[in-house]
């Protein structure tokens, strides 16, 4: 199998012409009416409307200019596919083949659209946008083939890595957590990458959500290993809608109390990156407890411009099932899972300190983690 297959992906000429017409027709028509004298009484208003519609025309003109000027390619790489998001701005998203949940084709008037759903987002690939006829069908075949091959095989490099982790763990018990943390961090940043970079707030929220739930998951796995009920030692409550939540000292220890807790690792990274006044941990725990079962539970208390693109629970539901096989393989000790995500969080805080205040970064992480440590993912 070739390492990379590339397909030129460009804005169709007729679609570009249609956008240009929509952009130019309103200001042109209004300017004509203002100048022809037929509506002389409203000439001033028509001029104002023409100017306003001219400003609005900048967006479609920018979309067309950007799409025509930039060389865009769909890429089927060895481990992931680089596919366009469902947006005219032609932002692309990396989708590991193992994270692709569904590929379906919609038949529309005159063309087809492939909807590719993965844990890292959704892509819509239109047959009209391929530069060469027939490439759309070939693309679908190759994508499905690579997805199936990735699901069935374990690359030799992965087997070698697992063997290396076992060997290194004899001297460093956290070797698996450290390597898995790097893998998780790189997979998330690759998936969230767009032409503007990685949205730091969303990355921190996703990692915080995963770290929080990892605390509960590690307790469940420990119980099963000891032959106990999976939720032994966890306090369970149910809200008016039937949603279940779990909490207890066993979860709080890796979350905020132990030597390598999520809070300890994240706070250390924030301080090293310049945070002088750490957020109030007790207040964050109280807020989570007080909003349990309400619409405010898991909603981060941040300025709008610092908000993640989605809520912690949605990141958790999308990412945890797809990352878990990799986590189990590289970090086989569940007790180290919270540490794994804590280390990934440290990398995210260090890397993002130039674009987000480390104190705010820490608050995003911990408000996400505390809330998601309590939720029920139903197995």
């Amino acid at each position: 199998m070739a390492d990379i297959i590339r397909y030129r992906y460009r804005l169709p000429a007729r679609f570009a012409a249609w956008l240009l017409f929509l952009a130019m027709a309103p200001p042109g028509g209004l300017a004509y009416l203002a100048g022809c004298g037929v509506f002389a009484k409203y000439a001033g208003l028509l001029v104002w409307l023409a100017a306003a519609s001219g400003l609005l025309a900048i967006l479609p003109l920018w979309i067309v200019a950007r799409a025509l000027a930039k060389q865009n390619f769909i890429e089927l790489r060895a481990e992931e596919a680089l596919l366009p998001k469902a947006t005219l701005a032609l932002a692309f998203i990396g989708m590991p083949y193992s994270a692709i949940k569904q590929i379906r084709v919609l038949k529309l008037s005159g063309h087809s659209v492939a909807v590719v759903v993965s844990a890292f987002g959704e892509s819509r690939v239109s047959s009209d946008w391929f530069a060469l006829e027939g490439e759309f069908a070939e693309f679908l075949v190759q994508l499905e083939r690579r997805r199936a091959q990735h699901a069935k095989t374990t690359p030799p490099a992965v087997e070698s890595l697992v063997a290396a982790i076992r060997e290194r763990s004899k001297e460093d018990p956290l070797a698996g957590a450290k390597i898995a943390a790097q893998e998780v961090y790189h997979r998330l940043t690759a998936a969230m990458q767009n032409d503007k970079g990685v949205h730091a707030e969303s990355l921190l929220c996703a990692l915080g959500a995963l770290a929080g739930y990892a605390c509960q998951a590690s307790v469940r796995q420990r119980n099963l290993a000891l032959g106990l009920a999976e939720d032994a030692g966890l306090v369970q409550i149910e809200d008016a809608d039937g949603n279940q939540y779990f909490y207890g000292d066993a979860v709080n220890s890796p979350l905020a109390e132990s030597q390598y807790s999520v809070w300890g690792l994240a706070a250390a990274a924030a301080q090293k990156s310049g945070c002088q006044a750490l957020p109030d941990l007790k207040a964050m725990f109280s807020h989570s407890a007080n909003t349990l079962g309400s619409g405010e539970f898991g909603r981060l208390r941040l300025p709008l411009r610092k908000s993640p693109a989605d809520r912690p629970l949605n990141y958790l539901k999308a990412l945890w099932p797809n990352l878990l096989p990799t986590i189990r393989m590289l970090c086989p000790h569940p007790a180290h899972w919270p540490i794994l995500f804590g280390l990934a969080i440290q990398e995210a805080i260090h890397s993002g300190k130039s674009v987000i205040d480390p104190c705010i970064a820490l608050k995003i992480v911990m408000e996400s983690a505390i809330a998601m440590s309590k939720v029920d993912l139903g197995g």
Side-chain angles (χ1 to χ4, degrees), residues 11-361:
L11 186 70
R14 70 174 185 275
F15 191 39
W18 179 73
L19 281 175
L20 289 173
F21 173 77
L22 288 181
M24 300 308 299
L30 289 167
Y32 171 77
L33 291 176
C36 70
V38 176
F39 299 101
K41 182 178 179 181
Y42 303 103
L45 176 61
L46 290 171
V47 169
W48 185 88
L49 290 174
S53 60
L55 290 175
L56 293 176
I58 292 175
L59 178 59
L61 289 174
W62 174 81
I63 291 173
V64 171
R66 184 176 183 276
L68 294 177
K70 187 178 180 182
Q71 293 289 318
N72 295 295
F73 292 92
I74 286 175
E75 293 186 357
L76 300 183
R77 301 169 177 172
E79 299 294 330
E80 67 175 7
L82 187 66
L83 304 177
K85 290 184 178 179
T87 169
L88 287 175
L90 272 185
F92 281 72
I93 180 173
M95 291 187 179
Y97 298 116
S98 61
I100 295 177
K101 300 177 180 178
Q102 184 183 47
I103 303 172
R104 65 181 188 272
V105 179
L106 307 178
K107 300 290 185 180
L108 305 177
S109 57
H111 70 287
S112 301
V113 175
V115 181
V116 185
V117 181
S118 83
F120 299 102
E122 181 176 300
S123 169
R124 292 178 180 263
V125 183
S126 174
S127 61
D128 274 0
W129 287 52
F130 282 79
L132 299 177
E133 186 177 355
E135 284 190 333
F136 178 69
E138 179 191 334
F139 157 76
L140 290 176
V141 171
Q142 293 290 348
L143 178 63
E144 187 59 55
R145 180 179 299 164
R146 290 186 174 223
R147 175 195 179 198
Q149 288 178 342
H150 194 86
K152 293 178 181 178
T153 62
T154 301
V158 175
E159 295 177 352
S160 299
L161 178 60
V162 172
I165 289 173
R166 292 196 194 101
E167 191 63 29
R168 287 181 55 182
S169 295
K170 296 176 182 178
E171 298 182 0
D172 180 4
L174 295 179
K178 293 175 181 177
I179 293 174
Q182 295 174 10
E183 175 67 15
V184 166
Y185 177 78
H186 289 306
R187 283 181 63 173
L188 290 188
T189 53
M192 293 183 171
Q193 181 84 29
N194 58 34
D195 55 353
K196 295 182 180 179
V198 177
H199 189 241
E201 290 83 354
S202 298
L203 175 62
L204 291 162
C205 178
L207 285 171
L210 291 164
Y213 187 74
C215 296
Q216 183 190 142
S218 68
V219 173
R220 291 178 175 274
Q221 292 299 309
R222 182 198 66 188
N223 288 341
L224 292 174
L226 294 174
L228 303 174
E230 185 178 343
D231 58 359
L234 299 177
V235 179
Q236 178 180 339
I237 61 174
E238 186 173 309
D239 66 16
D241 296 325
N243 298 311
Q244 294 183 336
Y245 302 90
F246 299 88
Y247 66 95
D249 292 341
V251 173
N252 290 341
S253 177
L255 179 61
E257 297 171 357
S258 65
Q259 180 183 4
Y260 297 114
S261 67
V262 175
W263 164 254
L265 292 170
Q271 288 180 316
K272 187 175 180 180
S273 298
C275 178
Q276 300 296 320
L278 297 178
D280 190 333
L281 181 63
K282 184 177 180 180
M284 288 189 284
F285 268 98
S286 296
H287 175 73
S288 178
N290 292 336
T291 57
L292 199 68
S294 74
E296 291 301 307
F297 178 75
R299 190 182 297 277
L300 307 188
R301 298 170 295 168
L302 297 166
L304 183 61
R305 61 187 180 86
K306 290 297 181 183
S307 296
D310 209 339
R311 299 186 67 168
L313 183 59
N314 292 332
Y315 283 123
L316 179 62
K317 287 181 176 179
L319 296 173
W320 181 263
N322 289 280
L323 289 173
L324 186 56
T326 300
I327 294 168
R328 288 184 184 276
M329 180 173 59
L330 300 181
C331 185
H333 302 295
H336 294 167
W337 291 354
I339 300 174
L340 178 169
F341 287 105
L343 294 172
I345 287 166
Q346 285 192 325
E347 182 67 26
I349 292 176
H350 288 316
S351 300
K353 63 183 179 182
S354 62
V355 295
I356 182 171
D357 184 327
C359 293
I360 295 178

